Amino acid sequence: MSSDKQEKFHRLYTPVHDKFERFCRARVYGDMDYFDLMHESVIVAYEKLDTLKNEGAFLYFLFGICVKILASSKRKKKPSYADTNEWTHLKDPGNATDQRTEVRILHEALAVLPEDQKEALMLFEIAGFTIKEIATMQQSGESAIKQRLVRGRNKLTELLTQNEEV
Amino acid sequence: MKMTNNQDYLNQLFEAARNETPIVSVDKICSAVEAHAAVGLAVTASGKFSFLTLKNGLIGFVATGVIAGSVAVFSPKTVEEVPQEKTVQKVEMPPISEEVTPTTNTPEPIVEKVETPTIATVVDSPDVEEPVPAPAANIDVEIGEDEVVILVNDQKVVVDDASDDVDGIVSAIRLGLRKRYFITEKTTEEELKTIIAELKKDAGIKMTYNNLRFSNNKLLRFAIELKKGRSMIRAHHSHQPSSSYIYEFGWKMNENGKFIDFYTISCHEQDGHVCAISNDCELKDCQNDNSFRGVIIDDNDNLSNRNNRKTHFR
């Protein structure tokens, strides 16, 4: 493999890493190890890098691969690290407990949603894709995506309200 | 936590998720890619497994291959990455074990909901009859100049070279040796039956369909299933009456014309552009406009013109 290709991948991947990491972590919360998903996605993206004609579309390219891997794979369930009691043992550098707790609550609620709703919400709310882009990724119409977003948010609100009442 | 209403609370949670500090570092991901690149050279083209000794003296396991259309890639994880205790850093990597199972090979099919449009699912078997080349190995394969056949009243009519007739598709999507079938909104049930016969005759592929939905003589929804041996592909496709589509599916063959695996490509017209998504991630020619980063096959051509050709195959 050429170092040029590695450099190119590094240059394209670095700016989108944070967004990609957050998406993967939320997407497979409680279901599988998100690092496996990240790892597999970036390896495929690296292998396919030559087919990417427009570098500006790398973010879409990478997420498209990730979504496709998830859609085409019925994965063997692996132990989740995030949804166990390990949470309470995590170090808290930067005093980010409140934020992490909020994110954990969100991830737990998202994990309950149907796959298409969950994914659409994460792509829209966390990764920042437009409805058009999500429609292309999920191979659906824009109206379907809008419906998923609305239904997903309603369901999330319901779940979070229930949790609070408990 | 104080909140004015539920929607605000939800927005606040999403805001927190957007701003959360990543746990996995970018260096770690890039290192994984570099490790993959470093050992990738030693992987045989036939997808056989190789044991490699890494620079740091640790043993890694790598396998690269495509099994019936799904990419299964593994790269080494060093002992240093194995969690030893419960800390934030250790959450990043799962403990590696001998159980390096290709997760894309689960024999259970993913059953998509009917209302979910245009979703293709590939179900693979772990014991495919023959090794399949990695994606990189397919890239340089030349495409034969096959004929394009149009179905007119169930009669096959040879039109021209494929490069002229399906210019947008052929020129933009990298093709290996493939037997290609197309379904558009003009496709009739009789034509689907003809395709079924062709698949059976050409490669012993069993194709079934259901959930056909026509509106104003336009085929807006269908579901197909193709099987050969233990390779199988299922796909649902549904479409809005206001736009057009070409749904391509088929099978890849080796140089001897022998079946390798299935593939699907969904093309549809959106905002005057034609975009496509393939189940093997062959994304091509993305548009510069950030508002739509779809995969452009043909920026100028009108897909609806091509739809007039109805179903065809080559």
Side-chain angles (χ1 to χ4, degrees):
Chain A
M1 293 294 171
S2 70
S3 61
D4 286 349
K5 187 177 178 182
Q6 289 180 38
E7 283 170 18
K8 181 182 177 185
F9 185 85
H10 194 282
R11 174 169 53 80
L12 294 174
Y13 178 75
T14 301
V16 306
H17 168 76
D18 289 4
K19 198 176 277 191
F20 184 59
E21 197 261 13
R22 289 183 198 115
F23 170 76
C24 289
R25 193 142 41 95
R27 180 65 182 83
V28 296
Y29 179 85
D31 191 34
M32 61 176 283
D33 182 16
Y34 68 92
F35 185 82
D36 281 353
L37 177 62
M38 290 182 74
H39 189 262
E40 189 166 340
S41 300
V42 296
I43 294 298
V44 173
Y46 177 78
E47 290 291 336
K48 295 278 184 183
L49 195 59
D50 294 336
T51 68
L52 179 68
K53 294 293 173 67
N54 177 8
E55 293 186 1
F58 180 78
L59 181 70
Y60 179 87
F61 175 74
L62 180 63
F63 274 73
I65 288 171
C66 181
V67 167
K68 206 159 283 294
I69 285 172
L70 280 168
S72 63
S73 307
K74 182 83 174 180
R75 292 177 175 278
K76 184 178 179 181
K77 192 165 184 176
K78 295 184 177 180
S80 167
Y81 293 86
D83 62 351
T84 67
N85 290 332
E86 290 175 25
W87 186 265
T88 56
H89 301 294
L90 299 181
K91 293 176 182 174
D92 188 21
N95 195 22
T97 303
D98 284 351
Q99 188 187 34
R100 287 192 186 280
T101 304
E102 286 179 345
V103 173
R104 182 173 62 91
I105 290 169
L106 178 66
H107 286 177
E108 283 176 351
L110 280 166
V112 179
L113 298 182
E115 292 293 309
D116 51 357
Q117 285 179 19
K118 175 169 59 176
E119 188 169 271
L121 267 175
M122 289 170 186
L123 289 168
F124 186 76
E125 298 283 2
I126 298 176
F129 283 101
T130 65
I131 289 174
K132 269 185 189 174
E133 290 166 341
I134 298 168
T136 308
M137 267 190 231
Q138 292 196 330
Q139 302 184 354
S140 303
E142 289 180 40
S143 57
I145 300 300
K146 285 175 189 170
Q147 259 191 349
R148 283 173 201 170
L149 293 175
V150 170
R151 287 177 183 167
R153 281 189 72 99
N154 290 341
K155 181 71 178 169
L156 268 185
T157 305
E158 189 182 313
L159 289 167
L160 294 166
T161 307
Q162 280 174 356
N163 288 342
E164 224 176 50
E165 285 168 356
V166 172
Chain B
M1 177 184 299
K2 300 285 183 186
M3 59 178 177
T4 54
N5 59 48
N6 293 333
Q7 289 301 318
D8 286 346
Y9 178 45
L10 195 52
N11 289 336
Q12 186 179 336
L13 293 182
F14 278 125
E15 182 69 23
R18 280 192 294 271
N19 296 325
E20 193 188 23
T21 308
I23 294 173
V24 177
S25 69
V26 65
D27 288 341
K28 188 150 198 161
I29 296 295
C30 288
S31 298
V33 171
E34 285 166 13
H36 168 78
V39 298
L41 292 172
V43 179
T44 60
S46 60
K48 292 178 180 174
F49 297 135
S50 302
F51 281 95
L52 302 169
T53 304
L54 302 181
K55 203 184 288 183
N56 59 6
L58 300 170
I59 300 298
F61 176 70
V62 61
T64 303
V66 177
I67 301 172
S70 291
V71 181
V73 182
F74 304 90
S75 69
K77 294 175 181 177
T78 66
V79 174
E80 290 168 347
E81 294 168 323
V82 177
Q84 300 299 321
E85 58 185 57
K86 296 171 181 179
T87 67
V88 171
Q89 286 74 25
K90 303 309 174 188
V91 173
E92 296 174 11
M93 291 293 296
I96 188 166
S97 68
E98 312 77 45
E99 188 184 72
V100 188
T101 307
T103 52
T104 50
N105 282 346
T106 310
E108 300 170 24
I110 300 173
V111 180
E112 301 291 348
K113 293 179 180 176
V114 173
E115 65 268 20
T116 304
T118 322
I119 288 184
T121 303
V122 181
V123 181
D124 305 317
S125 62
D127 50 346
V128 195
E129 295 126 11
E130 58 180 312
V132 182
N138 282 336
I139 285 174
D140 296 326
V141 178
E142 292 293 330
I143 307 165
E145 288 293 322
D146 294 337
E147 63 190 15
V148 168
V149 180
I150 300 178
L151 290 178
V152 180
N153 297 327
D154 288 345
Q155 298 298 313
K156 289 187 284 188
V157 178
V158 177
V159 176
D160 201 346
D161 284 342
S163 54
D164 294 328
D165 193 53
V166 284
D167 179 56
I169 296 174
V170 170
S171 61
I173 295 179
R174 186 166 289 162
L175 296 172
L177 290 169
R178 297 183 180 190
K179 185 80 175 181
R180 310 166 66 211
Y181 300 83
F182 299 87
I183 297 176
T184 74
E185 62 193 26
K186 302 285 186 184
T187 298
T188 64
E189 189 167 1
E190 287 68 31
E191 289 169 345
L192 286 176
K193 289 175 181 171
T194 307
I195 290 177
I196 289 173
E198 288 287 332
L199 282 162
K200 183 78 177 172
K201 180 183 160 193
D202 289 347
I205 295 167
K206 183 182 177 186
M207 174 181 166
T208 55
Y209 64 88
N210 57 22
N211 290 333
L212 295 189
R213 180 181 158 200
F214 291 90
S215 176
N216 295 327
N217 292 324
K218 288 184 177 181
L219 178 58
L220 297 182
R221 177 181 292 179
F222 61 86
I224 58 173
E225 179 183 295
L226 293 98
K227 275 184 182 176
K228 179 172 171 62
R230 294 188 178 184
S231 294
M232 180 173 73
I233 188 166
R234 282 178 176 166
H236 294 145
H237 185 97
S238 66
H239 217 79
Q240 301 295 322
S242 56
S243 57
S244 302
Y245 71 91
I246 289 180
Y247 187 82
E248 177 180 345
F249 65 96
W251 50 279
K252 300 176 187 176
M253 64 185 79
N254 62 18
E255 289 179 354
N256 298 322
K258 194 172 180 184
F259 173 88
I260 297 176
D261 63 4
F262 295 114
Y263 77 96
T264 64
I265 300 173
S266 171
C267 315
H268 62 278
E269 194 172 54
Q270 188 168 357
D271 294 343
H273 301 298
V274 181
C275 66
I277 289 184
S278 163
N279 71 331
D280 47 8
C281 297
E282 289 181 345
L283 305 174
K284 303 289 290 181
D285 290 335
C286 297
Q287 188 185 12
N288 288 324
D289 180 6
N290 284 333
S291 65
F292 179 70
R293 288 180 296 210
V295 184
I296 306 304
I297 283 184
D298 183 353
D299 213 6
N300 301 314
D301 198 4
N302 185 348
L303 183 59
S304 60
N305 292 336
R306 291 203 294 269
N307 272 335
N308 292 331
R309 291 195 309 273
K310 306 180 77 177
T311 303
H312 57 277
F313 48 88
R314 52 183 294 215

